[in-house]
């Protein structure tokens, strides 16, 4: 699938046995489905969607044994800033991925991240049209991650820039594409923009 004019994402069909730490810190065996991310004239990137034997699941930019030559900020994203996939609360029958975003920091070779943003800030970091593409998929919504009083509506037609909150993307359990797209949009693409591999996100 084409995320932008330059960036292409596809499932490679490869399944990889893994052993390592889960997001919760447990050491487990698991199986990863590999996805490829390609930009013309740039080294291809690999993402792993891993289902661990203890039931956890996460997404990460996979670190190969030899990382191709690339800017340090992008190289250091490999194996970091994982996104956990979990059952949505309150028995909604869907899964969710926290829509935290990587925030590349000036003068640092490691990208930070931010959990709480206004919806306008999230759209500025990730690209409003890309977020709308995600939520235009069947059964996919962007909502507050937690049920708290006083939180504004998450409206991508009129993104609010008043109150920060933690956002989450909710999607059907049989939808394997949406979480990978969301990981690329929230974690990988801000870094690609920061190193000049993608143009800046359009201003709101």
């Amino acid at each position: 699938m084409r995320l932008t004019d330059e960036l292409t994402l596809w499932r490679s069909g490869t399944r990889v046995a893994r052993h390592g730490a889960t997001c919760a810190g447990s050491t487990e065996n698991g199986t990863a489905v590999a996805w490829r991310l390609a930009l013309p004239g740039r080294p291809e990137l690999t993402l792993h969607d891993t289902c661990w034997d203890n039931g956890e699941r996460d997404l990460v930019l996979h670190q190969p044994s030899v990382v191709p030559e690339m800017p340090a900020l992008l190289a250091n994203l490999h194996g970091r800033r994982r996104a956990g996939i979990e059952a949505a609360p309150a028995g909604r029958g869907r899964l969710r991925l926290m829509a935290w975003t990587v925030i590349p920091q000036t003068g640092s070779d490691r990208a930070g991240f931010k959990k709480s943003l206004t919806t306008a800030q999230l759209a500025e970091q990730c690209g409003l049209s890309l977020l709308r593409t995600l939520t235009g998929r069947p059964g996919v919504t962007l909502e507050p991650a937690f049920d708290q009083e006083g939180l504004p509506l998450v409206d991508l037609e009129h993104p609010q820039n008043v109150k920060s909150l933690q956002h989450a993307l909710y999607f059907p359990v049989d939808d394997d594409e949406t979480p990978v797209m969301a990981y690329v949009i929230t974690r990988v693409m801000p870094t690609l923009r920061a190193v000049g591999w993608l143009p800046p996100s359009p201003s709101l």
Side-chain angles (χ1 to χ4, degrees), residues 10-21:
W10 74 96
R11 191 195 324 250
S12 73
T14 304
R15 299 178 71 85
V16 182
R18 290 194 59 193
H19 179 80

Side-chain angles (χ1 to χ4, degrees), residues 59-61 77 79-83 102 110-113 183 187:
L59 284 153
V60 73
L61 184 62
L77 187 63
R80 296 183 175 90
R81 304 306 178 209
R82 287 188 293 175
V102 164
R110 294 187 185 274
F113 69 99
Y183 180 82
R187 270 70 162 182

Side-chain angles (χ1 to χ4, degrees), residues 126-159:
C126 300
L128 182 57
S129 64
L130 289 167
L131 292 178
R132 286 173 175 168
T133 296
L134 279 177
T135 56
R137 296 172 61 86
V140 177
T141 58
L142 183 68
E143 304 174 29
F146 304 106
D147 187 12
Q148 299 173 343
E149 290 187 7
L151 292 181
L153 292 175
V154 176
D155 181 358
L156 292 179
E157 294 303 318
H158 306 283

Side-chain angles (χ1 to χ4, degrees), residues 41-76:
R42 303 294 188 184
E44 192 174 281
L45 304 175
T46 300
L47 294 91
H48 276 178
D49 181 352
T50 304
C51 291
W52 300 98
D53 288 352
N54 70 345
E56 290 186 65
R57 181 180 170 193
D58 62 49
L59 284 153
V60 73
L61 184 62
H62 170 64
Q63 183 166 349
S65 54
V66 178
V67 177
E69 185 175 347
M70 62 183 64
L73 188 66
L74 179 57
N76 288 331

Side-chain angles (χ1 to χ4, degrees), residues 56 71 94 116 166 171 187:
E56 290 186 65
R94 293 191 293 168
S116 293
Q166 293 190 39
F171 54 94
R187 270 70 162 182

